Amino acid sequence: MRTLIIVSHPTIETSLNQQFFKEATENLTVTWHHLEKHYPDWTIDRDTELELLKTHDRIIFQFPLYWYSAPAHLKLWEDTVLEHADEFLKGKELGIVVTTGVSEKEYQAGGKEEYTISEFLRPYQRIAHKFEMTFLPPFVMAQFMYQTEEKRWERLVAYQQYLTLVGKPTLIQRINWFIERLSSNHSLQQLDQTKQAFLIDYLENEKEEIEDLTFILQELKEQ
Amino acid sequence: MRTLIIVSHPTIETSLNQQFFKEATENLTVTWHHLEKHYPDWTIDRDTELELLKTHDRIIFQFPLYWYSAPAHLKLWEDTVLEHADEFLKGKELGIVVTTGVSEKEYQAGGKEEYTISEFLRPYQRIAHKFEMTFLPPFVMAQFMYQTEEKRWERLVAYQQYLTLVGKPTLIQRINWFIERLSSNHSLQQLDQTKQAFLIDYLENEKEEIEDLTFILQELKEQ
């Protein structure tokens, strides 16, 4: 599967968020495509974009939530490209990676932001359906920089899985993916000891969760 | 009350819709502000925009629905201006005038467009609430050009009322507004006979509706 990450961020050089994301993609076979960098003069080349859509299977819109929507560059991309994209999108996947400075729990009735992120992202969900694409559950990265290093690492692993794992993966598939990367990837083997310890922790926790679930299932069967 | 209409439409010269709208504003004390015309190079002047917000009480975002949202120019306006607009928006009104080529009934569960226009417009509703503005019910102009001349005329009158009537007007207020305009406005007095006949019809229908309602209320009281 080939993943295209269409990034829209007007001040990406000052975004630690996006720098973490970019680093996390470096050992993956994905295409990082930053719109503001390619089109500083707001003239999006439709043919280039259609060719990119044609040669990828999973399309990701990645952006900071600006006024409950994507920055203007991504909107211009939509207005320029989508009208001609039917044959290049049909049957593929659309994912949204959205960052926000506000805690995710504020996005609900009674919260400071009043509506859910799913509600704000309706236009993208509808675009996916219009092109008969599968809409992946949005990947929300809230207040990334406030989190502990371990938590951040965990989120980046989840981000990598969001970009590369086929379909909507099960827990087992996610663990298999992780073990595979751990054993095959040169740069992961060179991680410092803190990170290695964290990785092992992570895997063991996941395994325990599976064992618990298996136990519960057996209990239920025996009843 | 002073109304600012922030229009976003990249090809406005070919939009009959918007030409009708523009003509309908000509005898009103409103400001027509077309973003693509003022900022063809995508450099929005924040100070000009803040001054406009400062000197108006009702702010209207007017646009064709492009991919379930406003065109990119309006999004750039939001991204540029809103961060600094707090003191100029608080307590004012935000209205949305949206045109669509798809019939309004398709915007519902089970319809071709799947979600309601209210759902797609959540980001604007949230912006209104964030600035402690009153969010006016969106004015939706669907398939305007397919309608009969009389229906179009009726919609343009409703549009004028949306721009200029204070708050969320009652039926009586709308009729009063209409009669006032009819008697005071020179260009309306010069309408051709078909339109005059239509206006009289319109008023009489509204009056009948009120009479019916009054009758029902009296019935209820007597029970």
Side-chain angles (χ1 to χ4, degrees), chain A residues 10 41-42 66-73 75-80 82-84 112-115 119-120 122-127 129-131, chain B residues 10 41-42 66-73 75-80 82-84 112-115 119-120 122-127 129-131:
Chain A
D41 64 350
W42 299 85
Y66 277 15
W67 302 105
Y68 314 107
S69 188
H73 251 90
K75 189 67 207 337
L76 182 64
W77 182 94
E78 294 173 46
D79 295 351
T80 310
L82 284 179
E83 202 185 335
H84 308 268
K112 279 184 192 158
E113 298 295 9
E114 204 176 351
Y115 305 110
E119 281 173 285
F120 288 131
R122 280 288 185 265
Y124 309 102
Q125 186 178 9
R126 176 64 203 135
I127 286 168
H129 294 175
K130 193 176 183 75
F131 288 104
Chain B
D41 64 350
W42 299 86
Y66 277 16
W67 302 104
Y68 314 105
S69 187
H73 251 90
K75 189 66 204 342
L76 182 63
W77 181 94
E78 295 172 46
D79 294 352
T80 310
L82 285 179
E83 202 185 335
H84 308 268
K112 279 185 192 158
E113 297 294 9
E114 204 176 353
Y115 306 111
E119 281 172 286
F120 288 131
R122 280 290 186 262
Y124 308 101
Q125 186 178 11
R126 176 65 202 132
I127 286 169
H129 294 174
K130 194 174 183 76
F131 288 104

Side-chain angles (χ1 to χ4, degrees), chain A residues 19-28 156 159-160 181:
Chain A
Q19 282 167 33
F20 271 97
F21 278 145
K22 188 151 200 267
E23 275 172 37
T25 65
E26 272 165 14
N27 292 305
L28 306 174
L156 286 176
Y159 170 70
Q160 292 178 320
R181 274 185 61 75

